[in-house]
Amino acid sequence: MSEWREVMLGDLCTRVTVGHVGKMADEYVPDGVPFLRSQNVKPFRISSDGLLHVSEHFHQKLAKSKLAAGDVVVIRTGYPGTAAVIPEQLDGSNCADLVVITPSADLNAHMLAAVFNSAWGRSIVGGQLVGSAQQHFNVGSAKALRVRLPSRAAQDQIAAVLCALNDLIENNRRRVEVLVEMARVVYREWFVHFRHLGRERTAFVDSSLGPIPEGWEAVPLVDVALITMGQSPKSEFYNTDGVGTPFHQGVTDFGSHFPTHRKFCTVDGRSAVEGDILVSVRAPVGRLNLADTTLVIGRGIAAIRSRSGHQNLLFEKLKEVFAEEDSMGGGTIFKAIGKSELQSINVLRVPDLLADRADSDLAGPAELMRTLTFSIRRLEEIRDLLLPKLVTGQIDVSSLDLDALVEGSVA
């Protein structure tokens, strides 16, 4: 095994700086230079969800925070230490309040991201936070960080293992995105553009949702769905030790399709069962997920289930209703939607035979999305179990059988 040595991070980087700190609301443009914020930085990857853009002129003013492929960006506040490598497609982008590190030739960028994302890295960063009003990880702390690293060749081997796992995760994530879009197209073709089953309908009637085919109805959601509004138990019954039933109070742990479970509750409460649609009823109103098991739900969430068993179809209907988050609901500080408002939302009710066919056609993509999502979770678990041993030299990467590790995790 390669010899490991302790080094100061600043000695292995050609640049350690921080992204733009300041007001930005007036600088965003519909299309321009990608501008990363902390919410775009996930462990080992950059998420395009909520990605904003700035003008070329503003980008040139922020020369200090320009990003190049291979730079490592690290979150400073909120989840400090979370790190990702800038990919080729974001070369020449810019960023807000992130620590930006350009590694030297002696430091593999993916190895550095692994160090930050490990439990050890998060702990070290957590101990280096500064500031009174809002604690943050700053440039000085980053430069002074002492890390143990092997030779560049050994770093490359470790990075190759992690990149292989991350590539599998990302491939599955892209497949899920394709399936989500396929389901959306099917629904909109049938129930927005009315090109269902390849037949043309010429007879339309007026409704609260606009013109719809004769024989279809616009009805309140409560007519087609069972709705359970969440109610939060006392906080003394919450834990993060996995004891009891998974508990969700809002969208904090919502994923792209299913939530992840971080909090648990030891008393019974209002609940959602596997397959229920979870909808956020507090800001952001209308964000959707699916329950993958029985959950206790708090005041920020409602659980919805089709009365007719057409759960896949109902999920797509609600995606259409809530296509723009926070587009409905009242409240002076935070938007919210109450039980009566939720119940009275108008949705399409279509003839049973058509609903059966549509729900059946949507079932295949839905099941594959579920399989792929849990494959992603399993691969992430494998990676996160390996991570602390890889970045501390407890595992000789040359002895790892990656194929055996991931067997059964990829659909």
Side-chain angles (χ1 to χ4, degrees):
M1 291 179 64
S2 174
E3 182 180 347
W4 291 60
R5 62 192 178 96
E6 187 175 273
V7 292
M8 189 174 293
L9 184 58
D11 294 337
L12 290 177
C13 304
T14 61
R15 178 179 67 145
V16 182
T17 187
V18 68
H20 176 68
V21 179
K23 293 182 178 180
M24 287 292 302
D26 296 334
E27 303 296 343
Y28 297 128
V29 297
D31 188 30
V33 178
F35 191 80
L36 304 184
R37 300 172 295 160
S38 59
Q39 51 263 61
N40 300 117
V41 181
K42 309 297 181 185
F44 296 103
R45 71 184 181 93
I46 301 296
S47 170
S48 60
D49 292 344
L51 181 63
L52 298 176
H53 297 81
V54 296
S55 67
E56 180 65 30
H57 173 72
F58 190 73
H59 169 64
Q60 295 302 331
K61 288 174 60 178
L62 303 181
K64 183 183 71 154
S65 53
K66 288 181 180 179
L67 300 171
D71 284 347
V72 177
V73 287
V74 186
I75 292 179
R76 301 180 71 212
T77 60
Y79 295 94
T82 302
V85 178
I86 298 298
E88 289 290 341
Q89 62 267 32
L90 287 173
D91 185 58
S93 56
N94 214 303
C95 69
D97 193 13
L98 301 169
V99 171
V100 180
I101 300 171
T102 302
S104 70
D106 293 326
L107 180 58
N108 184 296
H110 297 281
M111 177 71 183
L112 179 58
V115 169
F116 274 113
N117 287 321
S118 70
W120 178 87
R122 292 196 302 271
S123 174
I124 292 297
V125 168
Q128 300 291 324
L129 301 183
V130 299
S132 53
Q134 185 179 36
Q135 289 202 313
H136 59 274
F137 183 54
N138 68 8
V139 168
S141 297
K143 288 181 176 180
L145 203 64
R146 301 194 70 84
V147 295
R148 288 185 70 251
L149 293 169
S151 67
R152 174 61 198 248
Q155 291 177 45
D156 292 346
Q157 288 183 309
I158 293 169
V161 170
L162 290 170
C163 286
L165 284 168
N166 287 328
D167 286 346
L168 287 171
I169 291 167
E170 193 57 33
N171 286 340
N172 279 358
R173 188 174 284 116
R174 283 196 291 267
R175 290 174 68 188
V176 170
E177 290 173 355
V178 169
L179 288 165
V180 168
E181 184 59 26
M182 284 174 56
R184 199 84 203 101
V185 168
V186 168
Y187 178 83
R188 291 186 64 83
E189 280 292 292
W190 288 31
F191 303 110
V192 176
H193 304 302
F194 308 120
R195 293 190 284 263
H196 55 287
L197 301 181
R199 297 180 305 195
E200 294 293 334
R201 275 187 177 267
T202 56
F204 282 77
V205 296
D206 290 331
S207 77
S208 58
L209 297 172
I212 59 175
E214 191 174 27
W216 297 20
E217 297 178 275
V219 299
L221 180 60
V222 71
D223 285 7
V224 299
L226 300 169
I227 301 171
T228 302
M229 304 297 290
Q231 186 174 21
S232 303
K234 292 181 179 179
S235 59
E236 64 197 75
F237 299 113
Y238 305 162
N239 70 86
T240 56
D241 301 320
V243 180
T245 306
F247 170 68
H248 292 269
Q249 184 147 264
V251 301
T252 301
D253 297 307
F254 272 24
S256 59
H257 214 63
F258 301 94
T260 54
H261 309 308
R262 184 173 49 90
K263 285 189 177 181
F264 294 78
C265 183
T266 55
V267 295
D268 292 335
R270 301 274 179 86
S271 62
V273 299
E274 183 178 349
D276 278 358
I277 299 163
L278 306 175
V279 56
S280 171
V281 295
R282 294 185 173 185
V285 171
R287 188 168 297 179
L288 303 175
N289 257 204
L290 289 171
D292 61 332
T293 186
T294 297
L295 315 170
V296 175
I297 53 174
R299 284 188 296 270
I301 291 177
I304 301 177
R305 176 164 288 273
S306 169
R307 292 182 183 272
S308 61
H310 298 128
Q311 195 72 350
N312 299 309
L313 180 56
L314 180 59
F315 188 45
E316 295 302 325
K317 285 180 184 179
L318 292 176
K319 283 186 185 178
E320 190 70 23
V321 169
F322 294 113
E324 182 181 348
E325 289 181 355
D326 284 334
S327 61
M328 60 182 63
T332 54
I333 300 176
F334 300 106
K335 287 190 175 183
I337 183 170
K339 182 177 182 178
S340 60
E341 277 183 292
L342 188 58
Q343 289 177 330
S344 62
I345 291 172
N346 279 340
V347 296
L348 277 177
R349 178 158 61 190
V350 304
D352 289 343
L353 286 177
L354 182 59
D356 289 344
R357 174 67 185 274
D359 194 75
S360 176
D361 280 10
L362 291 167
E367 183 57 34
L368 186 51
M369 276 188 275
R370 179 185 177 88
T371 300
L372 289 168
T373 298
F374 286 98
S375 171
I376 290 168
R377 288 188 183 177
R378 175 61 181 150
L379 288 166
E380 288 176 336
E381 287 172 2
I382 292 170
R383 181 196 65 197
D384 294 344
L385 284 170
L386 286 174
L387 189 56
K389 296 181 180 181
L390 287 173
V391 301
T392 55
Q394 296 177 52
I395 291 181
D396 181 359
V397 293
S398 63
S399 66
L400 275 179
D401 185 346
L402 193 59
D403 290 337
L405 281 172
V406 303
E407 186 178 357
S409 296
V410 184

